[in-house]
Amino acid sequence: MEFGNNVVVTVGHKAKSEHFALAREMAEKLGAPFSERGNTSLDALRAIYGVPFVMVVKEKLVVDTPDGELYFHPGMAHLRLKNLRRGENDHLLRSLGISEGMRILDCTLGMGADAIVESFGAGTEGEVVALEKNPVVAALIAHGLQTSEGEHPATVAAMRRVRVVCTDYLDYLRAQAEDSFDAVYFDPMFRHPFTESAGIHPLRFLADPRPVSEEAISEARRVARSRVVLKESSKSGEFARLGFTEFEGGKYSNVRYGIMRFD
Ligand SMILES: C[S@@+](CC[C@H](N)C(=O)[O-])C[C@H]1O[C@@H](n2cnc3c(N)ncnc32)[C@H](O)[C@@H]1O
């Protein structure tokens, strides 16, 4: 799948000088063309450059897709962190067995919500490295994590600590030493999207949809000191295919976490 040349970067109408600077920076990072925009519509830009996506720098950074705008939004993570601060449980943190100071490898950054929750759980002494195959998604979410303000200082601090790496997780895993992370997490695009948001979310146009391979799980087992976790639909055959036999998740939830533990 080729992502590099399917986007053009531009600014919103009434752009400020800092918007132009960020748009040029993003274009360079992505190896994508930059357009001054002028009065050109986004659809016209798509046609001129022959690309499906337009990254637009305005008050917030967005990627315009055929199914609406994709942008960083810490909302879901906020709610989960609020619950955690109240002493409630988070299924992901339990599955990964996260405690302060741990090193977590999140293989599937996506919109970054899980990575923020992991970062909160691992605390200021911990580390979360989050991988994303699609350079447009990686750049968009890395920028949001570094610049967005949140409702709570602890959320903002957790966002800032996530280290985003744009790469294929299999390549990254192969290059890591044995036991170099405490836990490794996969949240692939579901084989069968079942929630409303998964069905209509613009991320589906950009995300790498491939299933997790047996080799990736075997590499993750080597790299993880303590656990490998896979998030999937509760009815998914992926758990059986990949050898997960222990599970965590809400009784009535469609989502399940498969756990392999070595601790
Ligand atoms: C379902 S989303 C992850 C959602 C994320 N957990 C969150 O909280 O927003 C899956 C993401 O993993 C990325 N991805 C899929 N295969 C990948 C691979 N081989 N290497 C790196 N990233 C990958 C997709 O592009 C997509 O952005």
Side-chain angles (χ1 to χ4, degrees):
M1 195 182 303
E2 195 44 68
F3 298 116
N5 45 19
N6 60 10
V7 64
V8 55
V9 186
T10 191
V11 291
H13 293 304
K14 300 189 193 147
K16 299 177 183 157
S17 63
E18 61 262 33
H19 297 168
F20 281 98
L22 178 59
R24 286 204 175 86
E25 189 188 313
M26 285 290 170
E28 198 176 321
K29 185 186 260 182
L30 295 168
F34 164 75
S35 161
E36 298 265 350
R37 179 85 190 257
N39 289 325
T40 322
S41 72
L42 295 184
D43 282 338
L45 274 185
R46 259 189 269 277
I48 293 166
Y49 289 90
V51 294
F53 307 114
V54 188
M55 180 179 267
V56 189
V57 181
K58 39 191 185 180
E59 286 314 320
K60 66 180 178 202
L61 181 62
V62 306
V63 175
D64 196 78
T65 80
D67 199 9
E69 286 185 340
L70 189 70
Y71 53 89
F72 174 76
H73 181 48
M76 276 308 288
H78 270 318
L79 194 65
R80 286 163 70 186
L81 264 44
K82 204 169 158 183
N83 291 339
L84 278 168
R85 280 197 297 273
R86 274 206 214 116
E88 285 177 26
N89 248 325
D90 185 275
H91 291 301
L92 173 63
L93 293 193
R94 268 170 67 125
S95 305
L96 289 165
I98 291 192
S99 58
E100 293 261 338
M102 279 191 169
R103 279 198 92 206
I104 308 298
L105 180 61
D106 184 327
C107 288
T108 47
L109 171 75
M111 303 306 290
D114 285 337
I116 298 171
V117 174
E118 291 150 15
S119 170
F120 180 83
T124 49
E125 300 302 311
E127 189 184 9
V128 174
V129 177
L131 314 180
E132 173 54 53
K133 171 93 176 176
N134 184 308
V136 177
V137 176
L140 178 75
I141 303 306
H143 180 264
L145 287 165
Q146 284 313 310
T147 58
S148 280
E149 290 306 325
E151 283 157 23
H152 195 281
T155 309
V156 177
M159 279 166 20
R160 301 289 189 265
R161 287 196 303 270
V162 175
R163 190 156 71 79
V164 174
V165 180
C166 180
T167 184
D168 188 298
Y169 56 63
L170 185 55
D171 295 338
Y172 189 89
L173 284 164
R174 281 180 183 144
Q176 304 311 303
E178 194 170 316
D179 291 348
S180 49
F181 285 87
D182 290 294
V184 176
Y185 173 57
F186 297 91
D187 175 14
M189 296 305 281
F190 291 138
R191 309 296 105 250
H192 307 286
F194 54 85
T195 64
E196 229 181 53
S197 63
I200 59 165
H201 201 287
L203 178 64
R204 76 194 155 99
F205 285 102
L206 288 142
D208 185 330
R210 290 174 302 164
V212 178
S213 66
E214 285 172 40
E215 186 188 358
I217 294 294
S218 141
E219 285 293 333
R221 292 177 66 109
R222 187 183 60 76
V223 167
R225 182 193 58 78
S226 159
R227 295 189 194 186
V228 173
V229 171
L230 172 72
K231 179 179 173 183
E232 260 293 353
S233 139
S234 51
K235 296 189 180 64
S236 168
E238 290 295 273
F239 291 125
R241 179 177 72 82
L242 296 166
F244 287 84
T245 51
E246 183 187 339
F247 302 101
E248 163 86 36
K251 239 188 198 165
Y252 305 106
S253 170
N254 283 329
V255 171
R256 263 178 131 189
Y257 297 91
I259 306 165
M260 288 178 181
R261 69 167 86 211
F262 327 111
D263 51 355

